[in-house]
Amino acid sequence: SLLVCPIPAPGHRVPLLPKAPHLSRSPFPHSDVTFVVGREQQKVFAHRCVLACRCQAFRGMLSQGLVGSEDSPGSIPPQGPFVLGNVQPEVFLAVIEFLYTNSVTLNSHIALEVLTSSVEYGLQDLCKLCVKFIKDTLSVEQVCEALQAAVTYGLADLQQHCLAFIEGCTAAVVRTQGFHELSDAVLAWVLRSNRLGVDELDLVQAVREWAHVSSAVLERPVPEVAALPVQELRLPLLAPSELATLESHNQQDLLIPVENIAAAWRAHALRKGSGVPSRLCRPRRGTRPRDHHRHLDPHAK
């Protein structure tokens, strides 16, 4: 016999059972599989037929043993327990809730991890629900982490939404821990935006702080970790006095290649952006006006 499960639009609650599984020391009524979840080793009881019907990943897990689990494949009896030590119980329960009800209860503490699980388990509808929740509840503290996840999982719509949020409150975002934890490629992508709401001098300082954090975490030199993002800093926008101060500070950590600073000085000397990529001479939305900008950008007033 085949159990057919209704699949309506994601978020439309269609419970397959009176309620979804829960953390309990006693088995859920008629449950026939057990998971031991998280460092807390919380037990979650569920029904094999529901999980297998709703999710191909669980189907393979339950029929062949858990690939990548702490037990070897084939060594786990049909009823488990399946050990998931690297997943938070609350996150796993959100996935199970979706499989049982076609909806999910999220909060800002677990939404990104549930998104990760939705990708790992191939649950596209759950992924859509997570993306909607993240977009609706985006905050200064979480936007960079959400952006990193969007890039990692190829979620272009969420990626653009996060960038627009960052553009709207750049000065606050660059001071967050999430900003300091961005990958070099994602930071470089953000720095290509013309609509960042902060002055270039402040961006240089933000990138310097990011580079020192990344250098400490990755145990690599500052110039090496920052090689990609610094190419997006628009040094010709800085006034001569600011550029001179930057050049002096740069001798301490070599954040910016000497040739980049030399190109900015050349742009000042020639009173135009000669030899500098045109994007590096274009003021951003938050760039403070300086007298020499009219020589760099033909659109500047």
Side-chain angles (χ1 to χ4, degrees), residues 163-190:
L163 178 60
F165 187 98
I166 292 171
E167 290 169 341
C169 49
T170 314
V173 170
V174 298
R175 294 193 294 267
T176 64
Q177 179 180 342
F179 179 83
H180 293 147
E181 293 176 350
L182 286 174
S183 70
D184 59 343
V186 173
L187 177 56
W189 180 77
V190 171

Side-chain angles (χ1 to χ4, degrees), residues 1 67 73 83 146 172 186 217 222 235 247 274 285:
S1 61
V67 176
V83 179
V186 173
V217 171
V222 165
L235 302 184
E247 188 172 23
S274 177
R285 184 176 64 85

Side-chain angles (χ1 to χ4, degrees), residues 205-218 220 222 225-226 252-255:
Q205 181 59 29
V207 171
R208 171 167 275 115
E209 293 173 2
W210 168 90
H212 281 269
V213 171
S214 296
S215 174
V217 171
L218 300 175
R220 292 162 49 196
V222 165
V225 299
Q252 301 173 19
D253 58 13
L254 303 178
L255 171 74

Side-chain angles (χ1 to χ4, degrees), residues 234-289:
R234 304 181 183 186
L235 302 184
L237 297 179
L238 301 181
S241 61
E242 296 168 331
L243 193 56
T245 300
L246 172 64
E247 188 172 23
S248 175
H249 289 167
N250 197 62
Q251 295 175 8
Q252 301 173 19
D253 58 13
L254 303 178
L255 171 74
I256 302 171
V258 174
E259 54 267 28
N260 291 36
I261 297 177
W265 279 121
R266 188 164 56 251
H268 278 286
L270 300 176
R271 299 178 67 81
K272 61 180 181 179
S274 177
V276 180
S278 59
R279 73 181 190 280
L280 301 184
C281 296
R282 181 175 179 179
R284 306 179 195 267
R285 184 176 64 85
T287 301
R288 293 193 297 268

Side-chain angles (χ1 to χ4, degrees), residues 63 76 194:
S63 62
I76 309 172
N194 294 321

Side-chain angles (χ1 to χ4, degrees), residues 68-223:
S69 77
E70 298 168 16
D71 302 282
S72 59
S75 67
I76 309 172
Q79 71 275 14
F82 292 91
V83 179
L84 301 173
N86 296 323
V87 183
Q88 288 188 48
E90 191 177 3
V91 172
F92 185 71
L93 282 172
V95 175
I96 297 298
E97 178 190 3
F98 173 78
L99 295 178
Y100 274 77
T101 69
N102 208 51
S103 64
V104 63
T105 304
L106 295 172
N107 61 58
S108 59
H109 300 293
I110 66 168
L112 285 170
E113 292 189 54
V114 176
L115 174 65
T116 297
S117 293
S118 75
V119 173
E120 292 175 347
Y121 288 119
L123 298 170
Q124 293 185 2
D125 286 346
L126 177 57
C127 180
K128 292 176 183 178
L129 292 175
C130 290
V131 168
K132 183 180 186 306
F133 178 88
I134 292 167
K135 288 169 66 175
D136 290 345
T137 61
L138 209 54
S139 69
V140 167
E141 293 296 331
Q142 291 189 318
V143 63
C144 288
E145 188 179 358
L147 173 60
Q148 188 70 57
V151 173
T152 300
Y153 303 131
L155 304 171
D157 181 55
L158 179 59
Q159 183 175 336
Q160 290 298 327
H161 187 87
C162 289
L163 178 60
F165 187 98
I166 292 171
E167 290 169 341
C169 49
T170 314
V173 170
V174 298
R175 294 193 294 267
T176 64
Q177 179 180 342
F179 179 83
H180 293 147
E181 293 176 350
L182 286 174
S183 70
D184 59 343
V186 173
L187 177 56
W189 180 77
V190 171
L191 292 174
R192 294 187 191 111
S193 170
N194 294 321
R195 297 194 56 77
L196 296 179
V198 71
D199 185 65
E200 204 66 25
L201 197 60
D202 297 322
L203 272 182
V204 172
Q205 181 59 29
V207 171
R208 171 167 275 115
E209 293 173 2
W210 168 90
H212 281 269
V213 171
S214 296
S215 174
V217 171
L218 300 175
E219 298 183 340
R220 292 162 49 196
V222 165

